Amino acid sequence: MATFRLARRLRAQRAVDTMSDGQFAVLATLNLHGPHTLSELAERERVTAPSMNRTVNCLEESGWLTRTPAELDRRKVVIELTPEGRAVVEETVRRRDAWLESVLTGLTPRQRKTLAAAAAIMREAAAR
């Protein structure tokens, strides 16, 4: 439960309060991995294409991403971040980093060492 609560507190540190976690995940994916087709995004985020289409529509209406026809196959579209979308990702990451830094600063050196060891164990468990 502690992991879920920490993740929830981190997710709450966002640049746009009305943006869902799924919408932010799409922006973050495009920021990290570059332009994608709709089906690539749906596969990466493990959702259906119709669900991803609704998410992309909302993000496009907000001006955070664009769709352009693919060069090799005009039936497909390439989805990429706008400068405004990139700014949302960067500001959200900045806020999350600042919040986490403030929390970690309040811990004792022993607590930080314990937390680092726990993180290594969690990383190993997630890789299985």
Side-chain angles (χ1 to χ4, degrees):
M1 287 305 296
T3 302
F4 291 126
R5 286 188 181 127
L6 180 61
R8 187 179 319 123
R9 290 291 306 271
L10 274 171
R11 285 192 311 268
Q13 308 304 313
R14 58 176 67 138
V16 179
D17 290 334
T18 58
M19 184 177 290
S20 72
D21 292 338
Q23 290 169 337
F24 181 75
V26 170
L27 295 184
T29 293
L30 293 170
N31 189 58
L32 185 61
H33 300 289
H36 281 60
T37 65
L38 187 71
S39 59
E40 290 168 342
L41 267 178
E43 185 177 324
R44 185 177 288 277
E45 294 300 312
R46 293 190 167 104
V47 298
T48 65
S51 175
M52 181 56 69
N53 191 49
R54 286 188 297 275
T55 300
V56 167
N57 284 342
C58 181
L59 293 169
E60 184 179 30
E61 288 171 13
S62 297
W64 294 320
L65 56 77
T66 61
R67 297 182 204 224
T68 55
E71 288 184 23
L72 299 177
D73 184 349
R74 297 303 227 182
R75 295 171 296 171
K76 293 183 178 183
V77 294
V78 176
I79 301 162
E80 58 187 314
L81 282 179
T82 62
E84 295 81 5
R86 191 168 314 284
V88 167
V89 173
E90 290 169 357
E91 177 61 15
T92 297
V93 170
R94 187 199 65 72
R95 288 179 185 204
R96 289 177 179 179
D97 287 351
W99 180 84
L100 191 55
E101 182 179 355
S102 73
V103 170
L104 294 177
T105 300
L107 299 178
T108 66
R110 183 174 177 208
Q111 287 173 316
R112 285 194 295 274
K113 185 176 179 180
T114 300
L115 192 55
I121 294 166
M122 292 171 65
R123 232 183 340 270
E124 183 181 323
R128 292 183 184 185

